[in-house]
Amino acid sequence: MKWWGWGAEDVSFTHEGKPELAPFIQRMLGLDVRGRVASPIRFEDLEVPVASLPDGLRAELAGVVGREHISTDDRDRVVHTRGKSLRDLVRQRRGDLGRAPDVVVRPGTEDEVAAVVAAAVENDAVVIPFGGGSSISGSLQADDDETRPVISLDMGRLDRVLAIDAMSQLARVQAGVFGPELERQLAAQGWTCGHFPDSFTHSTLGGWIATRSSGMQSDRYGDIAEITRGLRVVTPSGLLTVRPVPSTSTGPSVREMVLGSEGRLGVITEATIQVRRVPPERKIFGYLFPAWGAALAAMRDIAASEASPSVTRVSDPPETAFSFAMREAPTSLDRLKSRALQAILRRKGWNVDTMCLSLIGYEGSADHVARQRRLTERVVSRHGGLRIGSSPGKLYDQKKFDTPYIRDFLLDRGAPADVAETAAPWSRLQTVYHNVMAAGHAAFQSLGVPGYLMCHLSHSYHAGACLYFTFALNPPSDRDALEDYGVVKRAIQQAFVDSGATLSHHHAVGTEHAQWLEEDISSPGVAMLRALFEGTDPGANLNPGKIVPADALVHSDG
């Protein structure tokens, strides 16, 4: 994993082979991506804080997991210092490491996790659970002023599918398993979890649960809150178990309390999740709509219909234009198809500047897929949509996990780019969209910088959907890019809550979004969460400060 950027060391994004991308970025951001590239500070030049780990605690941790599974190596500690939010990446690139963990501990069993947590509580240390390290909401770093020993608890050794109950379609899985490895183990027995977030290759089951993640196929499989049925969680007071029953009436849901808790209540060691048989057929098709309003109406009507596609996604005109700019160099056949499509659009009288690209997917038997397509395409046709074939869907399937690498590509050229997502009822989606677009562009204008803001709808529900915004800006080199970025990010987030939407649909709260929590769930809601966290973890030893700030008075030295 890169210590300064997204993903694997040997993987990066490039504009090469995409002939329209560099000119597009030049027009929209005034940024020449073919020019000089800035590199992050060299690791050798970093001033890594010295680990502050008492000898007694070190010996105790080594006795629990074995000396080979504890690390105070500088690079290991730096990789475990933060997640991958835009703010995280900029600070890392600048060499501002903040409060690095003092030790990385890699337990191999649930009992070892319990012993590490007990040792941390006994020694008044901080434990921060670490899955794939891909959080973009500030959920992984210790507070810069934290004076207690900080343990990064890397769950990567707990990575097995333990058992599958075929009759109930449930699987017991250790929480440290990464997405690809989970699917590999399930597929070997003919099953799938069906959960594919953007971070899939660099995130874990426990991380998904701790942040209430959603995947690209949540229309069919549900988000992780629906997929997760049972849980095992190590807490300061013992092992919390949630039975994987289909439904229950046992007071407020403990399962729901753990979902999205970001390590504040304990360390998730195991989950029982819903699984399904690998579908015999899976297809994703591209569609075009003449305008954003028609596209939203189509997605709403599909959600209300008898159709049950696995993916319903539609991009607004700015994101559609960006998607077309991302195309690779066309073949002769591609050019022929493009000319034919352009002729059809001209006959229909479409304005290419307002059209919207949609991706809709279907899974199941051949008969089921065919029926779902017919039902869905009736709705698409009713709203003026046009199917344009399987090529966009195939490209999406091939490249869907590559998008986060674009942030590093732009940061290398001085341009911060990020995402912000929300959810709202169907009746408010247009209002939310227009308010966010207005707020974002007003922020660009107030800063006097070129900026680009785009959006897609995804994750459709009975009552509403997720809107996922992406933005980029090109601040002058003599200004702090992080400060300019913050102005835009805050404007977008404030527009979410002011418009009656949620502060986040699936990226979680962490520290990045905590300031809007009270506006989202009300003051009594925040008080309930604070009481829950402080009652479960009175010493504030478990990832303190995330979601709602920990009470400074609970420290043993306070």
Side-chain angles (χ1 to χ4, degrees):
M1 183 189 295
K2 298 186 182 82
W3 63 267
W4 53 266
W6 180 268
E9 286 277 8
D10 58 348
V11 179
S12 61
F13 178 83
T14 178
H15 66 283
E16 301 294 340
K18 304 174 184 67
E20 298 176 43
L21 182 58
F24 179 87
I25 295 175
Q26 179 80 59
R27 289 195 308 273
M28 298 305 166
L29 291 178
L31 178 67
D32 184 1
V33 299
R34 294 159 293 198
R36 184 171 175 270
V37 177
S39 299
I41 186 173
R42 296 190 316 152
F43 186 85
E44 293 74 17
D45 295 330
L46 287 177
E47 295 183 11
V48 183
V50 176
S52 178
L53 187 65
D55 290 341
L57 179 56
R58 179 194 295 269
E60 196 167 347
L61 295 174
V64 170
V65 302
R67 293 191 180 279
E68 68 274 24
H69 298 305
I70 67 169
S71 170
T72 54
D73 172 76
D74 281 354
R75 184 177 288 269
D76 208 5
R77 291 170 54 226
V78 168
V79 166
H80 286 76
T81 295
R82 294 193 177 99
K84 303 297 183 183
S85 73
L86 191 282
R87 201 178 310 277
D88 292 334
L89 298 187
V90 171
R91 290 183 68 185
Q92 295 285 94
R93 284 165 166 263
R94 291 175 176 176
D96 174 9
L97 299 180
R99 179 63 169 94
D102 297 299
V103 62
V104 179
V105 178
R106 294 179 167 88
T109 67
E110 184 177 81
D111 287 345
E112 290 181 0
V113 173
V116 170
V117 170
V121 172
E122 177 67 25
N123 291 272
D124 195 24
V126 169
V127 174
I128 302 178
F130 190 97
S134 58
S135 164
I136 62 171
S137 59
S139 299
L140 291 177
Q141 73 269 25
D143 188 271
D144 286 349
D145 298 325
E146 181 61 71
T147 58
R148 297 174 292 173
V150 176
I151 301 168
S152 178
L153 193 64
D154 189 312
M155 300 294 287
R157 292 175 63 207
L158 281 80
D159 63 350
R160 292 185 297 122
V161 173
L162 300 173
I164 296 178
D165 177 350
M167 182 179 293
S168 305
Q169 298 185 89
L170 297 172
R172 282 182 52 218
V173 185
Q174 292 181 311
V177 67
F178 280 78
E181 180 61 16
L182 171 61
E183 284 298 314
R184 186 194 68 77
Q185 292 184 48
L186 291 175
Q189 300 184 58
W191 299 93
T192 180
C193 170
H195 191 72
F196 299 99
D198 283 354
S199 61
F200 175 73
T201 54
H202 302 288
S203 56
T204 64
L205 174 61
W208 300 341
I209 295 167
T211 56
R212 292 189 74 108
S213 168
S214 275
M216 298 171 182
Q217 297 173 189
S218 63
D219 287 21
R220 172 174 171 81
Y221 293 92
D223 60 23
I224 201 64
E226 296 170 274
I227 292 170
T228 302
R229 305 315 311 160
L231 287 162
R232 292 174 68 88
V233 185
V234 170
T235 78
S237 60
L239 182 65
L240 166 66
T241 59
V242 177
R243 294 177 176 179
V245 293
S247 187
T248 183
S249 178
T250 51
S253 172
V254 175
R255 185 184 73 93
E256 284 287 328
M257 294 177 193
V258 175
L259 289 161
S261 59
E262 301 185 35
R264 290 296 308 269
L265 298 178
V267 181
I268 301 166
T269 57
E270 182 184 313
T272 301
I273 59 173
Q274 294 177 172
V275 291
R276 302 191 189 202
R277 286 295 182 186
V278 175
E281 193 165 295
R282 180 173 183 271
K283 293 184 177 180
I284 300 180
F285 290 92
Y287 300 83
L288 288 177
F289 289 92
W292 179 239
L296 289 189
M299 298 301 108
R300 180 195 65 220
D301 286 357
I302 290 171
S305 74
E306 294 181 349
S308 56
S310 58
V311 176
T312 51
R313 176 183 172 123
V314 62
S315 298
D316 71 349
E319 187 168 285
T320 297
F322 175 74
S323 296
F324 287 145
M326 286 278 287
R327 291 178 298 190
E328 296 181 353
T331 64
S332 298
L333 181 58
D334 291 334
R335 294 191 188 94
L336 183 63
K337 290 179 178 178
S338 178
R339 286 195 294 269
L341 177 59
Q342 290 172 13
I344 293 171
L345 298 181
R346 282 196 298 270
R347 286 199 300 271
K348 286 178 168 286
W350 282 25
N351 179 352
V352 295
D353 293 330
T354 64
M355 69 181 184
C356 300
L357 175 65
S358 175
L359 297 169
I360 302 178
Y362 315 93
E363 290 187 11
S365 66
D367 288 346
H368 179 79
V369 167
R371 172 173 164 74
Q372 295 305 312
R373 272 187 59 190
R374 287 195 301 270
L375 290 170
T376 301
E377 290 181 357
R378 287 175 194 164
V379 179
V380 169
S381 179
R382 193 162 67 239
H383 291 280
L386 173 71
R387 176 159 55 89
I388 57 174
S390 59
S391 295
K394 290 177 181 176
L395 182 61
Y396 168 75
D397 249 2
Q398 293 167 5
K399 305 293 184 180
K400 60 190 175 187
F401 303 130
D402 295 347
T403 305
Y405 287 99
I406 300 175
R407 284 190 309 165
D408 292 341
F409 173 81
L410 291 173
L411 275 179
D412 287 344
R413 292 152 179 85
D418 202 8
V419 295
E421 33 68 66
T422 188
W426 291 111
S427 59
R428 296 203 60 80
L429 278 185
Q430 277 278 34
T431 298
V432 173
Y433 173 79
H434 288 304
N435 289 351
V436 172
M437 295 299 285
H441 286 291
F444 294 144
Q445 188 172 7
S446 73
L447 292 168
V449 300
Y452 199 71
L453 178 59
M454 58 188 184
C455 175
H456 66 258
L457 176 149
S458 59
H459 312 291
S460 294
Y461 302 91
H462 172 80
C466 166
L467 291 178
Y468 194 107
F469 294 84
T470 302
F471 63 95
L473 58 153
N474 183 17
S477 58
D478 61 349
R479 287 223 303 259
D480 186 343
L482 202 51
E483 289 187 7
D484 281 9
Y485 155 80
V487 171
V488 181
K489 170 74 172 177
R490 287 191 296 272
I492 290 172
Q493 290 291 145
Q494 192 63 51
F496 287 166
V497 295
D498 287 349
S499 304
T502 184
L503 63 84
S504 175
H505 171 260
H506 59 266
H507 285 162
V509 181
T511 54
E512 289 285 328
H513 303 138
Q515 72 183 84
W516 293 280
L517 187 62
E518 185 173 334
E519 293 181 74
D520 192 325
I521 68 172
S522 78
S523 178
V526 174
M528 284 185 186
L529 288 181
R530 184 183 295 279
L532 173 64
F533 296 151
E534 294 180 358
T536 303
D537 178 28
N541 302 109
L542 299 177
N543 207 12
K546 310 310 183 295
I547 308 178
V548 296
D551 186 338
L553 298 179
V554 300
H555 290 188
S556 62
D557 61 356

